[in-house]
Amino acid sequence: MTAITFSPAFTTQFDTSNQEFLAAGVCRPRSIADIADDLKVLRDGIETVKGVFYVNLKRVAHMNSTAFHALSRVLVDASRSRPELQIVVVVSSVVTWATQMFRHLGELSPNITMEVYDSAFYPGQTFVENQSFIPILRTQTKMTWRHERQILPRHGLRSGMTIADICCGIGDFAMLVRKEFNPARMVALDHSVASLDYARSVAEQFCVRDIEYTFGDASQMLFESDQFDFVTCRHSLQIFDRPEVLLRELFRICKPGGRVYITNEKNSHCLGEPRADSIQWTYTEVAKLFRHFDMDVEMGPKGSRLLRDAGFDDVKIESFMVTNHDGDPQEFADIIQAWEDVYAGEMAVRRGDTPEFIKRFRQGFADHIFAALHPRGYAGWPIWAASGQKPL
């Protein structure tokens, strides 16, 4: 993957594995010359791909007319010189100007389409889709799986079921469930093209072809009602600003008598020793930071109430602590470092926090890493697992 930076406020890159040109930030060039390098990244990417080429603009906060017309010209020219290529422009419905500007490209060329990435109810999606996060997501799942493989049977999962993993992300949990529980059918849904492409590539590497990776909106799924014996949704309700919307859909697709299983965190309860006070302060601030973006990483213990409010009965809830003693302490430290990069390096900056605050904020993560790697240290990350049965 190569990257070009036109200014601190705007970046572009081409992801070869996903055939995707990604842009982020604010693009207000005074002339086309200011973004010549970015346009070259786009043209070079188009020349190397086959099939579908994605132009991912969902993290572009603003683009002036100079940039829009330059980008449009490259795409229209490419569509005419390569009529066999499908060009998909991905925008976010949150950024209304993007849908208004780019929807007209389809009128200029039939092989250009616009795909609206609807995060109106999901403000945290852009934070957790950072490509650098993928290895950490795999590590997180590996560390939580040591616990969940024992927990899931207590919540009703057994072999031979039809299972749906909603908001499946990079698909690693679905792969583990398939291997351990041998379902009759395994469906994994997400609305991130990049995550699903990664999930499919990993499945292909392991010759796994019986997981149905599906692109879709978790709040309005195309699945028929009463279809799955067991539905999972892990670490996702907490980053929806309207979790009840998603819970209604999980309830709908679950069979009567089936169960929905959710996991969520309580970040203010992350802990470490030594340097406990600093660590506690930072994770209390993490919870406040997420609330600023309409997310609730304190949701874990609320799982029982949420499931009951959604109409489930026979609700079960339990908690477990992922620690630096679950495996390689360095893996736990790597997870903390990734949290710092996103929470302090992106979210806090976007919130407008002062350099002094961010410095203290980062110190708590550094101290958590210190605790994780200290030969006598302890670092913990608490998670709540809950499930409810859909009434017969």
Side-chain angles (χ1 to χ4, degrees), residues 88-110:
V88 179
V89 180
V90 184
V91 299
S92 170
S93 64
V94 174
V95 186
T96 55
W97 62 264
T99 57
Q100 294 168 359
M101 293 171 74
F102 285 98
R103 67 185 176 189
H104 299 297
L105 288 181
E107 300 169 4
L108 299 176
S109 176

Side-chain angles (χ1 to χ4, degrees), residues 121-122 125 164-173 187-192 196 214 216-219 221 232-237 239-240 246 250:
F121 67 105
Y122 199 0
Q125 185 68 11
D165 184 26
I166 307 304
C167 304
C168 69
I170 60 173
D172 46 350
F173 181 76
V187 176
L189 177 142
D190 203 275
H191 59 350
S192 166
L196 286 172
T214 304
D217 180 349
S219 70
M221 291 182 278
T232 64
C233 185
R234 303 169 60 260
H235 302 290
S236 295
L237 290 173
I239 49 177
F240 279 80
L246 180 50
L250 301 179

Side-chain angles (χ1 to χ4, degrees), residues 14 18-21 41-42 45-46 49-55 75 85-89:
F14 175 63
N18 291 316
Q19 299 197 154
E20 186 177 34
F21 171 83
V41 173
L42 177 61
I46 291 170
V49 302
K50 295 180 181 179
V52 181
F53 178 65
Y54 293 99
V55 181
L75 297 179
L85 184 66
Q86 293 297 311
I87 300 174
V88 179
V89 180

Side-chain angles (χ1 to χ4, degrees), residues 230-264:
F230 200 86
V231 180
T232 64
C233 185
R234 303 169 60 260
H235 302 290
S236 295
L237 290 173
Q238 62 189 25
I239 49 177
F240 279 80
D241 67 345
R242 288 187 285 156
E244 69 280 359
V245 173
L246 180 50
L247 278 168
R248 283 199 297 267
E249 277 292 272
L250 301 179
F251 184 93
R252 183 185 65 80
I253 67 172
C254 185
K255 291 179 181 178
R259 296 190 73 86
V260 167
Y261 169 89
I262 61 174
T263 63
N264 292 287

